[in-house]
Amino acid sequence: MSKIEMKTPLVEMDGDEMTRILWQMIKDELITPFVDLKSEYYDLGLKHRNETNDQVTIDSAEATKKYGVAVKCATITPNAARVEEYDLKEMWKSPNGTIRAILDGTVFRAPIIVKGIEPCVKNWKKPITIARHAYGDVYKASEMKIPGPGKVELVYTREDGTEERELIHNFTKAGVIQGQHNLCDSIESFARSCFNFALDTKQDLWFATKDTISKKYDHTFKDIFQEIFDKEYKEKFEAANIEYFYTLIDDAVARVMKSEGGFIWACKNYDGDVMSDMLSSAFGSLAMMTSVLVSPQGYFEYEAAHGTVQRHYYKHLKGEETSTNSVATIFAWSGALRKRGELDELPELMKFADNLEKACIETIESGKMTGDLARITSLENPSVLNSKDFIIAIRETLESYD
Ligand code: NAP
Ligand code: MG
């Protein structure tokens, strides 16, 4: 059988622990037997990040700007325990944070819906897509521990040397402070990516912040969205018969729970981080969610929304069997290959990506699944497969198509 040709390489960002094991299995069983894979490989495994002083992460993001499409494996964000475990030179930053800071943009996360895995919120009939702003706020904050009494201020020094000050707090005892920022052009591109994605997918767009409390910071987000909507998108939304709807974050959370789904929920960086984990768990499993970073320049980085599944990895190292769900990582590959096919006009590659996704869904719907799904499925007598056998079952489904 001849393999499907590619034109432009994918930027391949390998990662850590259990997802690194899955990564290789996915390539061996589901990608390279079918596609003449062209990729530029970057090893973002923690060991290699440490060896390169994290330069490899920056290089991989720069390569994404060069080629346009990347696929990323989950990676460890080091904490104190990891510094010891991997004997790190430094507590390197989150690779996702570094990549997002270089590419800017918005992360779209949508649940992968299969029959037999029903959302635990009964009224959710359609997927809810989170659009997470990927720049700034608490992810680029400066923090200080305040040891004791003293005055803390925000100081803006203009280029001409003049200053503007705002009191944060007159400390009479110990405390903590944090300084966050964002950039108007990043918020503008966030808004445009959300409006475009809503039009592309013909879904309503919701946006929410805490503008009643944060009258300058969050209010700026609200105002920028509204201005861009009124100027550039209002008529297009009317023509597409979809709505843009702004509300307070508390109200949004309450309404989401009562909704039937089928819309995009735009979230500030932190809200999107937290709410996407809540949504994916409520829709079934962290491993049943797609995630793609779309930059304002039109670069795409596909990944799984979950982490490196450390607990399973330690079992794997002890030689024990694991049943780790590879669906989100497979969908990262299919998403990236489909986008490459679209950009390079390779319909066969796009068709392969569709089939790969279909094979994942049909395999699960036929009752073959990993432990995380078997625990929650409404299908009777599911067969629980180990990590490898699940991938092989997907391959068998895929091969049955031609
Ligand atoms: P995690 O890897 O997402 O795993 C949390 C738990 O969720 C697992 O212990 C497992 O539950 C379940 N789970 C997640 N993905 C699963 C899958 N594919 N199949 C089956 N079960 C799955 O999060 P974590 O343990 O908090 O973080 C581990 C490492 O990942 C950390 O070093 C963190 O920095 C990193 N991380 C990376 C990313 C990223 O690169 N995008 C995102 C988040 C975290 P059970 O143990 O109950 O089976
Ligand atoms: Mg998170």
Side-chain angles (χ1 to χ4, degrees), residues 16-17 19 22 72-79 82 94-96 100 109 273 277 285-288 303-312 323-329 370-373 375:
D16 287 299
E17 300 196 311
T19 41
L22 298 178
K72 181 180 171 293
C73 180
T75 46
I76 293 170
T77 298
N79 54 16
R82 299 298 200 163
S94 151
N96 286 322
R100 284 171 199 154
R109 290 190 170 163
D273 183 354
D277 281 9
S285 159
L286 278 174
M288 296 297 285
E303 56 167 11
H306 59 76
T308 59
V309 215
Q310 181 182 19
R311 202 182 63 82
H312 296 210
S323 181
T324 316
N325 189 336
S326 45
V327 168
T329 308
T370 44
D372 56 321
L373 298 182
R375 278 197 292 275

mmCIF file of all heavy atoms in Angstrom, residues 16-17 19 22 72-79 82 94-96 100 109 273 277 285-288 303-312 323-329 370-373 375, ligand 1:
data_model
loop_
_atom_site.group_PDB
_atom_site.id
_atom_site.type_symbol
_atom_site.label_atom_id
_atom_site.label_comp_id
_atom_site.label_asym_id
_atom_site.label_seq_id
_atom_site.Cartn_x
_atom_site.Cartn_y
_atom_site.Cartn_z
ATOM 1 N N ASP A 16 6.941 14.197 27.726
ATOM 2 C CA ASP A 16 7.394 13.477 28.909
ATOM 3 C C ASP A 16 6.467 12.323 29.319
ATOM 4 O O ASP A 16 5.292 12.293 28.968
ATOM 5 C CB ASP A 16 7.469 14.451 30.100
ATOM 6 C CG ASP A 16 8.634 15.416 29.988
ATOM 7 O OD1 ASP A 16 9.775 14.945 29.950
ATOM 8 O OD2 ASP A 16 8.386 16.641 29.918
ATOM 9 N N GLU A 17 7.067 11.448 30.130
ATOM 10 C CA GLU A 17 6.387 10.414 30.905
ATOM 11 C C GLU A 17 5.449 9.555 30.059
ATOM 12 O O GLU A 17 5.790 9.116 28.965
ATOM 13 C CB GLU A 17 5.680 11.064 32.122
ATOM 14 C CG GLU A 17 6.720 11.762 33.009
ATOM 15 C CD GLU A 17 6.265 12.120 34.391
ATOM 16 O OE1 GLU A 17 5.199 12.716 34.543
ATOM 17 O OE2 GLU A 17 7.005 11.805 35.351
ATOM 18 N N THR A 19 2.780 10.129 28.357
ATOM 19 C CA THR A 19 2.383 10.637 27.039
ATOM 20 C C THR A 19 3.520 10.478 26.025
ATOM 21 O O THR A 19 3.271 10.335 24.830
ATOM 22 C CB THR A 19 1.913 12.108 27.110
ATOM 23 O OG1 THR A 19 2.771 12.830 27.990
ATOM 24 C CG2 THR A 19 0.489 12.200 27.607
ATOM 25 N N LEU A 22 3.074 6.972 24.834
ATOM 26 C CA LEU A 22 1.942 6.917 23.890
ATOM 27 C C LEU A 22 2.337 7.521 22.542
ATOM 28 O O LEU A 22 1.933 7.034 21.479
ATOM 29 C CB LEU A 22 0.724 7.673 24.445
ATOM 30 C CG LEU A 22 0.081 7.176 25.744
ATOM 31 C CD1 LEU A 22 -1.075 8.100 26.138
ATOM 32 C CD2 LEU A 22 -0.422 5.740 25.612
ATOM 33 N N LYS A 72 2.081 18.840 19.588
ATOM 34 C CA LYS A 72 2.859 18.793 20.833
ATOM 35 C C LYS A 72 2.360 17.726 21.788
ATOM 36 O O LYS A 72 1.170 17.575 22.022
ATOM 37 C CB LYS A 72 2.817 20.162 21.526
ATOM 38 C CG LYS A 72 3.622 20.173 22.819
ATOM 39 C CD LYS A 72 3.592 21.519 23.520
ATOM 40 C CE LYS A 72 4.225 21.410 24.889
ATOM 41 N NZ LYS A 72 3.461 20.584 25.843
ATOM 42 N N CYS A 73 3.318 17.008 22.361
ATOM 43 C CA CYS A 73 3.058 16.023 23.403
ATOM 44 C C CYS A 73 3.020 16.757 24.748
ATOM 45 O O CYS A 73 3.623 17.822 24.898
ATOM 46 C CB CYS A 73 4.211 15.022 23.385
ATOM 47 S SG CYS A 73 4.093 13.702 24.601
ATOM 48 N N ALA A 74 2.322 16.196 25.730
ATOM 49 C CA ALA A 74 2.294 16.823 27.058
ATOM 50 C C ALA A 74 3.700 16.814 27.656
ATOM 51 O O ALA A 74 4.491 15.897 27.428
ATOM 52 C CB ALA A 74 1.328 16.082 27.967
ATOM 53 N N THR A 75 3.997 17.844 28.416
ATOM 54 C CA THR A 75 5.332 18.021 28.995
ATOM 55 C C THR A 75 5.223 18.341 30.480
ATOM 56 O O THR A 75 4.210 18.886 30.925
ATOM 57 C CB THR A 75 6.049 19.206 28.306
ATOM 58 O OG1 THR A 75 5.132 20.298 28.215
ATOM 59 C CG2 THR A 75 6.553 18.836 26.932
ATOM 60 N N ILE A 76 6.271 18.018 31.212
ATOM 61 C CA ILE A 76 6.313 18.350 32.638
ATOM 62 C C ILE A 76 6.597 19.836 32.810
ATOM 63 O O ILE A 76 7.516 20.367 32.188
ATOM 64 C CB ILE A 76 7.441 17.550 33.338
ATOM 65 C CG1 ILE A 76 7.120 16.056 33.337
ATOM 66 C CG2 ILE A 76 7.687 18.074 34.743
ATOM 67 C CD1 ILE A 76 8.284 15.176 33.781
ATOM 68 N N THR A 77 5.808 20.500 33.633
ATOM 69 C CA THR A 77 6.173 21.831 34.101
ATOM 70 C C THR A 77 6.862 21.628 35.448
ATOM 71 O O THR A 77 6.233 21.175 36.399
ATOM 72 C CB THR A 77 4.928 22.720 34.292
ATOM 73 O OG1 THR A 77 4.298 22.873 33.022
ATOM 74 C CG2 THR A 77 5.293 24.084 34.832
ATOM 75 N N PRO A 78 8.163 21.899 35.508
ATOM 76 C CA PRO A 78 8.879 21.530 36.729
ATOM 77 C C PRO A 78 8.427 22.305 37.965
ATOM 78 O O PRO A 78 8.095 23.488 37.869
ATOM 79 C CB PRO A 78 10.343 21.872 36.405
ATOM 80 C CG PRO A 78 10.404 22.259 34.994
ATOM 81 C CD PRO A 78 9.032 22.504 34.491
ATOM 82 N N ASN A 79 8.387 21.589 39.080
ATOM 83 C CA ASN A 79 8.244 22.208 40.397
ATOM 84 C C ASN A 79 9.452 21.727 41.222
ATOM 85 O O ASN A 79 10.348 21.077 40.683
ATOM 86 C CB ASN A 79 6.909 21.805 41.030
ATOM 87 C CG ASN A 79 6.735 20.293 41.076
ATOM 88 O OD1 ASN A 79 7.699 19.544 40.926
ATOM 89 N ND2 ASN A 79 5.513 19.838 41.277
ATOM 90 N N ARG A 82 10.348 18.076 40.899
ATOM 91 C CA ARG A 82 10.908 17.707 39.589
ATOM 92 C C ARG A 82 12.360 18.158 39.468
ATOM 93 O O ARG A 82 13.158 17.504 38.786
ATOM 94 C CB ARG A 82 10.097 18.345 38.463
ATOM 95 C CG ARG A 82 8.638 17.927 38.420
ATOM 96 C CD ARG A 82 8.478 16.457 38.180
ATOM 97 N NE ARG A 82 7.123 16.187 37.678
ATOM 98 C CZ ARG A 82 6.782 15.053 37.080
ATOM 99 N NH1 ARG A 82 7.661 14.075 36.964
ATOM 100 N NH2 ARG A 82 5.559 14.877 36.640
ATOM 101 N N SER A 94 7.094 26.685 32.295
ATOM 102 C CA SER A 94 6.153 25.832 31.568
ATOM 103 C C SER A 94 6.400 25.964 30.064
ATOM 104 O O SER A 94 6.356 27.078 29.523
ATOM 105 C CB SER A 94 4.728 26.280 31.903
ATOM 106 O OG SER A 94 3.875 26.004 30.815
ATOM 107 N N PRO A 95 6.663 24.854 29.355
ATOM 108 C CA PRO A 95 6.870 24.938 27.902
ATOM 109 C C PRO A 95 5.651 25.544 27.199
ATOM 110 O O PRO A 95 5.798 26.344 26.276
ATOM 111 C CB PRO A 95 7.062 23.486 27.468
ATOM 112 C CG PRO A 95 7.424 22.752 28.693
ATOM 113 C CD PRO A 95 6.818 23.474 29.850
ATOM 114 N N ASN A 96 4.452 25.171 27.684
ATOM 115 C CA ASN A 96 3.255 25.743 27.054
ATOM 116 C C ASN A 96 3.235 27.256 27.218
ATOM 117 O O ASN A 96 2.870 27.974 26.298
ATOM 118 C CB ASN A 96 1.987 25.130 27.643
ATOM 119 C CG ASN A 96 1.783 23.715 27.154
ATOM 120 O OD1 ASN A 96 2.046 23.410 25.993
ATOM 121 N ND2 ASN A 96 1.339 22.842 28.031
ATOM 122 N N ARG A 100 3.252 29.723 24.092
ATOM 123 C CA ARG A 100 2.129 30.659 23.939
ATOM 124 C C ARG A 100 2.613 32.096 23.940
ATOM 125 O O ARG A 100 2.070 32.934 23.223
ATOM 126 C CB ARG A 100 1.101 30.453 25.064
ATOM 127 C CG ARG A 100 0.268 29.205 24.835
ATOM 128 C CD ARG A 100 -0.595 28.884 26.044
ATOM 129 N NE ARG A 100 -0.999 27.488 25.970
ATOM 130 C CZ ARG A 100 -1.318 26.736 27.009
ATOM 131 N NH1 ARG A 100 -1.299 27.235 28.232
ATOM 132 N NH2 ARG A 100 -1.669 25.480 26.844
ATOM 133 N N ARG A 109 -10.568 24.633 23.021
ATOM 134 C CA ARG A 109 -10.689 23.273 23.561
ATOM 135 C C ARG A 109 -12.122 22.797 23.484
ATOM 136 O O ARG A 109 -13.028 23.466 23.986
ATOM 137 C CB ARG A 109 -10.241 23.245 25.028
ATOM 138 C CG ARG A 109 -8.764 23.434 25.149
ATOM 139 C CD ARG A 109 -8.246 23.188 26.533
ATOM 140 N NE ARG A 109 -6.791 23.172 26.462
ATOM 141 C CZ ARG A 109 -5.974 23.297 27.495
ATOM 142 N NH1 ARG A 109 -6.471 23.417 28.704
ATOM 143 N NH2 ARG A 109 -4.671 23.272 27.323
ATOM 144 N N ASP A 273 -8.100 28.051 31.675
ATOM 145 C CA ASP A 273 -7.316 26.945 32.215
ATOM 146 C C ASP A 273 -8.207 26.088 33.113
ATOM 147 O O ASP A 273 -8.325 24.867 32.945
ATOM 148 C CB ASP A 273 -6.138 27.549 33.005
ATOM 149 C CG ASP A 273 -5.184 26.510 33.562
ATOM 150 O OD1 ASP A 273 -5.470 25.307 33.450
ATOM 151 O OD2 ASP A 273 -4.152 26.914 34.121
ATOM 152 N N ASP A 277 -10.727 22.262 32.265
ATOM 153 C CA ASP A 277 -10.617 21.009 33.025
ATOM 154 C C ASP A 277 -11.978 20.598 33.580
ATOM 155 O O ASP A 277 -12.339 19.418 33.583
ATOM 156 C CB ASP A 277 -9.607 21.134 34.171
ATOM 157 C CG ASP A 277 -8.166 21.006 33.694
ATOM 158 O OD1 ASP A 277 -7.957 20.992 32.473
ATOM 159 O OD2 ASP A 277 -7.264 20.926 34.537
ATOM 160 N N SER A 285 -13.951 12.838 30.233
ATOM 161 C CA SER A 285 -12.587 12.559 30.662
ATOM 162 C C SER A 285 -11.657 13.637 30.123
ATOM 163 O O SER A 285 -11.875 14.181 29.043
ATOM 164 C CB SER A 285 -12.163 11.196 30.108
ATOM 165 O OG SER A 285 -10.766 11.080 30.070
ATOM 166 N N LEU A 286 -10.617 13.907 30.892
ATOM 167 C CA LEU A 286 -9.581 14.846 30.436
ATOM 168 C C LEU A 286 -8.987 14.400 29.108
ATOM 169 O O LEU A 286 -8.487 15.207 28.332
ATOM 170 C CB LEU A 286 -8.443 14.877 31.454
ATOM 171 C CG LEU A 286 -8.594 15.757 32.681
ATOM 172 C CD1 LEU A 286 -7.418 15.522 33.623
ATOM 173 C CD2 LEU A 286 -8.652 17.211 32.272
ATOM 174 N N ALA A 287 -9.050 13.096 28.875
ATOM 175 C CA ALA A 287 -8.433 12.560 27.665
ATOM 176 C C ALA A 287 -9.386 12.595 26.477
ATOM 177 O O ALA A 287 -9.068 12.091 25.406
ATOM 178 C CB ALA A 287 -7.959 11.137 27.912
ATOM 179 N N MET A 288 -10.572 13.178 26.669
ATOM 180 C CA MET A 288 -11.541 13.270 25.577
ATOM 181 C C MET A 288 -11.782 14.735 25.245
ATOM 182 O O MET A 288 -12.918 15.215 25.192
ATOM 183 C CB MET A 288 -12.847 12.573 25.961
ATOM 184 C CG MET A 288 -12.690 11.079 26.191
ATOM 185 S SD MET A 288 -12.170 10.165 24.724
ATOM 186 C CE MET A 288 -13.689 10.151 23.803
ATOM 187 N N GLU A 303 -2.401 19.994 20.566
ATOM 188 C CA GLU A 303 -1.894 19.250 21.723
ATOM 189 C C GLU A 303 -3.052 18.552 22.419
ATOM 190 O O GLU A 303 -4.202 18.714 22.037
ATOM 191 C CB GLU A 303 -1.206 20.218 22.699
ATOM 192 C CG GLU A 303 -2.144 21.339 23.120
ATOM 193 C CD GLU A 303 -1.675 22.155 24.309
ATOM 194 O OE1 GLU A 303 -0.534 22.034 24.738
ATOM 195 O OE2 GLU A 303 -2.508 22.930 24.808
ATOM 196 N N ALA A 304 -2.715 17.751 23.440
ATOM 197 C CA ALA A 304 -3.750 17.199 24.315
ATOM 198 C C ALA A 304 -3.922 18.185 25.464
ATOM 199 O O ALA A 304 -2.982 18.892 25.805
ATOM 200 C CB ALA A 304 -3.318 15.842 24.840
ATOM 201 N N ALA A 305 -5.121 18.233 26.035
ATOM 202 C CA ALA A 305 -5.333 19.196 27.122
ATOM 203 C C ALA A 305 -4.842 18.653 28.464
ATOM 204 O O ALA A 305 -4.661 19.405 29.407
ATOM 205 C CB ALA A 305 -6.818 19.566 27.200
ATOM 206 N N HIS A 306 -4.623 17.322 28.545
ATOM 207 C CA HIS A 306 -4.203 16.769 29.845
ATOM 208 C C HIS A 306 -2.680 16.775 29.979
ATOM 209 O O HIS A 306 -1.963 17.165 29.062
ATOM 210 C CB HIS A 306 -4.770 15.356 30.026
ATOM 211 C CG HIS A 306 -4.344 14.383 28.970
ATOM 212 N ND1 HIS A 306 -3.093 13.821 28.944
ATOM 213 C CD2 HIS A 306 -4.998 13.877 27.891
ATOM 214 C CE1 HIS A 306 -3.000 13.000 27.904
ATOM 215 N NE2 HIS A 306 -4.133 13.029 27.234
ATOM 216 N N GLY A 307 -2.218 16.319 31.155
ATOM 217 C CA GLY A 307 -0.783 16.316 31.429
ATOM 218 C C GLY A 307 -0.115 15.016 31.035
ATOM 219 O O GLY A 307 -0.620 14.281 30.170
ATOM 220 N N THR A 308 1.000 14.722 31.671
ATOM 221 C CA THR A 308 1.855 13.606 31.275
ATOM 222 C C THR A 308 1.439 12.282 31.923
ATOM 223 O O THR A 308 2.095 11.268 31.734
ATOM 224 C CB THR A 308 3.313 13.907 31.645
ATOM 225 O OG1 THR A 308 3.379 14.127 33.067
ATOM 226 C CG2 THR A 308 3.814 15.159 30.941
ATOM 227 N N VAL A 309 0.359 12.318 32.701
ATOM 228 C CA VAL A 309 -0.219 11.138 33.371
ATOM 229 C C VAL A 309 0.871 10.391 34.166
ATOM 230 O O VAL A 309 1.097 9.190 33.980
ATOM 231 C CB VAL A 309 -0.975 10.195 32.405
ATOM 232 C CG1 VAL A 309 -2.180 9.571 33.119
ATOM 233 C CG2 VAL A 309 -1.465 10.905 31.142
ATOM 234 N N GLN A 310 1.459 11.121 35.069
ATOM 235 C CA GLN A 310 2.611 10.658 35.849
ATOM 236 C C GLN A 310 2.354 9.337 36.589
ATOM 237 O O GLN A 310 3.189 8.442 36.587
ATOM 238 C CB GLN A 310 2.965 11.758 36.867
ATOM 239 C CG GLN A 310 4.156 11.440 37.732
ATOM 240 C CD GLN A 310 4.416 12.566 38.741
ATOM 241 O OE1 GLN A 310 3.546 13.380 39.017
ATOM 242 N NE2 GLN A 310 5.607 12.614 39.262
ATOM 243 N N ARG A 311 1.189 9.221 37.216
ATOM 244 C CA ARG A 311 0.915 8.030 38.021
ATOM 245 C C ARG A 311 0.978 6.763 37.146
ATOM 246 O O ARG A 311 1.518 5.746 37.549
ATOM 247 C CB ARG A 311 -0.480 8.167 38.667
ATOM 248 C CG ARG A 311 -0.689 7.316 39.910
ATOM 249 C CD ARG A 311 -2.113 7.488 40.448
ATOM 250 N NE ARG A 311 -3.157 7.043 39.523
ATOM 251 C CZ ARG A 311 -3.548 5.783 39.359
ATOM 252 N NH1 ARG A 311 -2.984 4.825 40.049
ATOM 253 N NH2 ARG A 311 -4.502 5.476 38.477
ATOM 254 N N HIS A 312 0.436 6.855 35.935
ATOM 255 C CA HIS A 312 0.469 5.716 35.018
ATOM 256 C C HIS A 312 1.910 5.419 34.598
ATOM 257 O O HIS A 312 2.295 4.272 34.432
ATOM 258 C CB HIS A 312 -0.382 5.991 33.772
ATOM 259 C CG HIS A 312 -1.852 6.155 34.072
ATOM 260 N ND1 HIS A 312 -2.824 5.820 33.177
ATOM 261 C CD2 HIS A 312 -2.508 6.616 35.170
ATOM 262 C CE1 HIS A 312 -4.026 6.076 33.692
ATOM 263 N NE2 HIS A 312 -3.848 6.566 34.895
ATOM 264 N N SER A 323 -3.567 1.506 31.459
ATOM 265 C CA SER A 323 -4.666 1.686 30.527
ATOM 266 C C SER A 323 -4.874 3.189 30.383
ATOM 267 O O SER A 323 -5.792 3.768 30.934
ATOM 268 C CB SER A 323 -5.914 0.971 31.059
ATOM 269 O OG SER A 323 -6.977 1.116 30.151
ATOM 270 N N THR A 324 -3.962 3.794 29.639
ATOM 271 C CA THR A 324 -3.965 5.254 29.495
ATOM 272 C C THR A 324 -4.638 5.614 28.180
ATOM 273 O O THR A 324 -4.340 5.015 27.139
ATOM 274 C CB THR A 324 -2.519 5.794 29.518
ATOM 275 O OG1 THR A 324 -1.801 5.153 30.561
ATOM 276 C CG2 THR A 324 -2.507 7.295 29.714
ATOM 277 N N ASN A 325 -5.514 6.574 28.243
ATOM 278 C CA ASN A 325 -6.318 6.964 27.083
ATOM 279 C C ASN A 325 -5.505 7.866 26.144
ATOM 280 O O ASN A 325 -5.074 8.956 26.542
ATOM 281 C CB ASN A 325 -7.574 7.683 27.599
ATOM 282 C CG ASN A 325 -8.583 7.940 26.509
ATOM 283 O OD1 ASN A 325 -8.229 8.002 25.333
ATOM 284 N ND2 ASN A 325 -9.827 8.109 26.898
ATOM 285 N N SER A 326 -5.317 7.426 24.918
ATOM 286 C CA SER A 326 -4.485 8.173 23.964
ATOM 287 C C SER A 326 -5.297 9.056 23.017
ATOM 288 O O SER A 326 -4.727 9.685 22.124
ATOM 289 C CB SER A 326 -3.658 7.172 23.146
ATOM 290 O OG SER A 326 -4.474 6.104 22.716
ATOM 291 N N VAL A 327 -6.622 9.132 23.224
ATOM 292 C CA VAL A 327 -7.475 9.803 22.227
ATOM 293 C C VAL A 327 -7.093 11.278 22.027
ATOM 294 O O VAL A 327 -6.973 11.747 20.889
ATOM 295 C CB VAL A 327 -8.975 9.658 22.592
ATOM 296 C CG1 VAL A 327 -9.835 10.578 21.738
ATOM 297 C CG2 VAL A 327 -9.417 8.215 22.386
ATOM 298 N N ALA A 328 -6.869 12.009 23.124
ATOM 299 C CA ALA A 328 -6.556 13.438 22.965
ATOM 300 C C ALA A 328 -5.242 13.619 22.205
ATOM 301 O O ALA A 328 -5.107 14.543 21.389
ATOM 302 C CB ALA A 328 -6.488 14.124 24.324
ATOM 303 N N THR A 329 -4.284 12.739 22.450
ATOM 304 C CA THR A 329 -2.996 12.851 21.761
ATOM 305 C C THR A 329 -3.150 12.450 20.284
ATOM 306 O O THR A 329 -2.561 13.072 19.395
ATOM 307 C CB THR A 329 -1.926 11.993 22.464
ATOM 308 O OG1 THR A 329 -1.918 12.334 23.859
ATOM 309 C CG2 THR A 329 -0.546 12.250 21.905
ATOM 310 N N THR A 370 -10.345 2.445 27.201
ATOM 311 C CA THR A 370 -9.395 2.434 28.315
ATOM 312 C C THR A 370 -10.162 2.593 29.638
ATOM 313 O O THR A 370 -11.348 2.947 29.645
ATOM 314 C CB THR A 370 -8.369 3.568 28.145
ATOM 315 O OG1 THR A 370 -9.044 4.758 27.749
ATOM 316 C CG2 THR A 370 -7.324 3.187 27.118
ATOM 317 N N GLY A 371 -9.457 2.349 30.727
ATOM 318 C CA GLY A 371 -10.082 2.288 32.047
ATOM 319 C C GLY A 371 -10.844 3.542 32.448
ATOM 320 O O GLY A 371 -11.925 3.453 33.047
ATOM 321 N N ASP A 372 -10.278 4.721 32.106
ATOM 322 C CA ASP A 372 -10.938 5.980 32.493
ATOM 323 C C ASP A 372 -12.357 6.048 31.923
ATOM 324 O O ASP A 372 -13.279 6.539 32.580
ATOM 325 C CB ASP A 372 -10.106 7.183 32.030
ATOM 326 C CG ASP A 372 -9.834 7.163 30.523
ATOM 327 O OD1 ASP A 372 -9.582 6.073 29.972
ATOM 328 O OD2 ASP A 372 -9.898 8.238 29.900
ATOM 329 N N LEU A 373 -12.541 5.550 30.685
ATOM 330 C CA LEU A 373 -13.864 5.598 30.053
ATOM 331 C C LEU A 373 -14.743 4.440 30.535
ATOM 332 O O LEU A 373 -15.953 4.616 30.720
ATOM 333 C CB LEU A 373 -13.737 5.549 28.529
ATOM 334 C CG LEU A 373 -12.969 6.705 27.894
ATOM 335 C CD1 LEU A 373 -12.964 6.553 26.376
ATOM 336 C CD2 LEU A 373 -13.579 8.045 28.292
ATOM 337 N N ARG A 375 -14.931 3.209 33.350
ATOM 338 C CA ARG A 375 -15.517 3.546 34.655
ATOM 339 C C ARG A 375 -16.795 4.366 34.536
ATOM 340 O O ARG A 375 -17.622 4.355 35.425
ATOM 341 C CB ARG A 375 -14.497 4.333 35.503
ATOM 342 C CG ARG A 375 -13.474 3.460 36.228
ATOM 343 C CD ARG A 375 -12.786 4.246 37.343
ATOM 344 N NE ARG A 375 -11.927 5.312 36.830
ATOM 345 C CZ ARG A 375 -10.660 5.139 36.445
ATOM 346 N NH1 ARG A 375 -10.110 3.943 36.525
ATOM 347 N NH2 ARG A 375 -9.947 6.134 35.984
HETATM 348 P P1 NAP B 1 -2.520 14.738 34.300
HETATM 349 O O1 NAP B 1 -1.287 14.198 33.710
HETATM 350 O O2 NAP B 1 -3.494 15.341 33.371
HETATM 351 O O3 NAP B 1 -3.208 13.570 35.108
HETATM 352 C C1 NAP B 1 -4.132 13.743 36.142
HETATM 353 C C2 NAP B 1 -4.983 12.489 36.303
HETATM 354 O O4 NAP B 1 -6.019 12.504 35.336
HETATM 355 C C3 NAP B 1 -4.226 11.214 36.070
HETATM 356 O O5 NAP B 1 -3.573 10.781 37.233
HETATM 357 C C4 NAP B 1 -5.328 10.282 35.589
HETATM 358 O O6 NAP B 1 -6.132 9.807 36.662
HETATM 359 C C5 NAP B 1 -6.188 11.209 34.775
HETATM 360 N N1 NAP B 1 -5.767 11.282 33.360
HETATM 361 C C6 NAP B 1 -5.235 12.342 32.707
HETATM 362 N N2 NAP B 1 -5.000 12.048 31.436
HETATM 363 C C7 NAP B 1 -5.374 10.753 31.276
HETATM 364 C C8 NAP B 1 -5.349 9.864 30.174
HETATM 365 N N3 NAP B 1 -4.873 10.250 28.972
HETATM 366 N N4 NAP B 1 -5.815 8.606 30.356
HETATM 367 C C9 NAP B 1 -6.287 8.200 31.547
HETATM 368 N N5 NAP B 1 -6.322 9.004 32.634
HETATM 369 C C10 NAP B 1 -5.876 10.261 32.497
HETATM 370 O O7 NAP B 1 -2.173 15.859 35.373
HETATM 371 P P2 NAP B 1 -1.120 15.884 36.596
HETATM 372 O O8 NAP B 1 -0.921 14.525 37.149
HETATM 373 O O9 NAP B 1 -1.599 16.981 37.447
HETATM 374 O O10 NAP B 1 0.233 16.355 35.940
HETATM 375 C C11 NAP B 1 1.284 15.480 35.536
HETATM 376 C C12 NAP B 1 2.323 16.316 34.804
HETATM 377 O O11 NAP B 1 1.769 16.856 33.621
HETATM 378 C C13 NAP B 1 2.846 17.485 35.621
HETATM 379 O O12 NAP B 1 4.253 17.467 35.640
HETATM 380 C C14 NAP B 1 2.332 18.711 34.897
HETATM 381 O O13 NAP B 1 3.254 19.754 34.925
HETATM 382 C C15 NAP B 1 2.128 18.216 33.501
HETATM 383 N N6 NAP B 1 1.048 18.888 32.738
HETATM 384 C C16 NAP B 1 1.307 19.152 31.426
HETATM 385 C C17 NAP B 1 0.322 19.699 30.617
HETATM 386 C C18 NAP B 1 0.637 19.938 29.167
HETATM 387 O O14 NAP B 1 1.752 19.745 28.741
HETATM 388 N N7 NAP B 1 -0.328 20.358 28.368
HETATM 389 C C19 NAP B 1 -0.949 19.970 31.134
HETATM 390 C C20 NAP B 1 -1.203 19.671 32.482
HETATM 391 C C21 NAP B 1 -0.191 19.107 33.269
HETATM 392 P P3 NAP B 1 -5.856 8.454 37.460
HETATM 393 O O15 NAP B 1 -4.471 8.575 38.033
HETATM 394 O O16 NAP B 1 -6.916 8.481 38.496
HETATM 395 O O17 NAP B 1 -5.962 7.313 36.500
#
